[in-house]
Amino acid sequence: MNNKSKEHSKSIAIYPGSFDPIHNGHIDIIRRSVTLFDEVIVAVAYNPHKDSALFTPDERVEMIRECIKDLDPRARVDKFSGLSVDYAERIGAAVIIRSLRAVTDFDYELQMAQMNKQMINTVETVFLFANPKLFFTASRLIKEVASYGKRLPELVPEIVMNRLRVKLKID
């Protein structure tokens, strides 16, 4: 047996999303993913031409870093624009992690996974089911509820809630 076959090749996965903002459902997926892969890159997706996110890509990266700092070096954060599958190939990731909350998620995600496989067949998509306690959680809903001044301690980390309060100018 040669040295190459003895070596363990590092499994790298990306978990792409807008994360505007990150919430406990996302964090649960990240925590579970680091038990499956050697390295998980939380990849903040943005479109520089039409991004209508509340937080800038850099703000999102900073919030996520703070929320998952205990997972370093197994999880790290990056940002990208363009196709997730292209980003995965560019950085040497063999897997794209996607989370599923409902049947409607599955329909969309299956189409996306098949399209990605068609474009770059060396990148696989792995689906993780959302935590049943958090399956209804969506960044869009969190922003809406937070805009009315509601605190969401079971849905978002305190650092995220504080950033929402500042960004939305609520007390």
Side-chain angles (χ1 to χ4, degrees):
M1 195 184 275
N2 64 32
N3 285 341
K4 288 245 185 233
S5 59
K6 289 182 184 177
E7 291 177 13
H8 170 72
S9 78
K10 187 175 180 181
S11 61
I12 301 171
I14 66 166
Y15 179 35
S18 61
F19 304 107
D20 186 43
I22 191 166
H23 54 67
N24 289 342
H26 295 133
I27 294 169
D28 178 65
I29 295 291
I30 297 163
R31 290 189 181 288
R32 290 166 43 210
S33 295
V34 298
T35 68
L36 301 172
F37 302 99
D38 295 323
E39 182 178 12
V40 174
I41 300 166
V42 181
V44 174
Y46 70 96
N47 182 332
H49 304 293
K50 63 175 187 173
D51 201 343
S52 60
L54 179 63
F55 293 98
T56 68
D58 289 335
E59 289 171 325
R60 289 179 266 164
V61 165
E62 189 178 311
M63 275 190 289
I64 296 166
R65 273 195 187 123
E66 185 64 29
C67 291
I68 65 168
K69 65 184 173 191
D70 64 307
L71 297 176
D72 187 42
R74 298 289 304 275
R76 65 181 176 91
V77 188
D78 195 8
K79 64 183 178 182
F80 76 99
S81 67
L83 298 174
S84 299
V85 72
D86 287 340
Y87 173 75
E89 183 183 51
R90 187 168 59 249
I91 65 162
V95 174
I96 296 173
I97 299 165
R98 300 300 297 165
S99 63
L100 297 174
R101 295 176 295 186
V103 173
T104 52
D105 283 351
F106 181 77
D107 289 341
Y108 171 79
E109 294 294 346
L110 180 61
Q111 286 180 335
M112 189 61 62
Q114 294 293 4
M115 181 62 74
N116 286 342
K117 193 70 173 165
Q118 185 68 35
M119 289 184 285
I120 301 175
N121 70 2
T122 57
V123 177
E124 294 291 340
T125 300
V126 171
F127 298 107
L128 295 179
F129 291 100
N131 180 322
K133 294 178 183 174
L134 300 168
F135 82 95
F136 64 90
T137 309
S139 296
R140 172 185 49 80
L141 294 173
I142 287 170
K143 289 184 283 195
E144 184 175 346
V145 171
S147 73
Y148 289 99
K150 297 291 183 187
R151 294 181 97 36
L152 306 162
E154 49 301 313
L155 301 181
V156 296
E158 189 63 29
I159 185 169
V160 174
M161 191 66 227
N162 291 340
R163 292 280 190 104
L164 280 165
R165 291 174 60 213
V166 169
K167 189 67 94 164
L168 298 170
K169 298 175 174 56
I170 54 176
D171 205 22

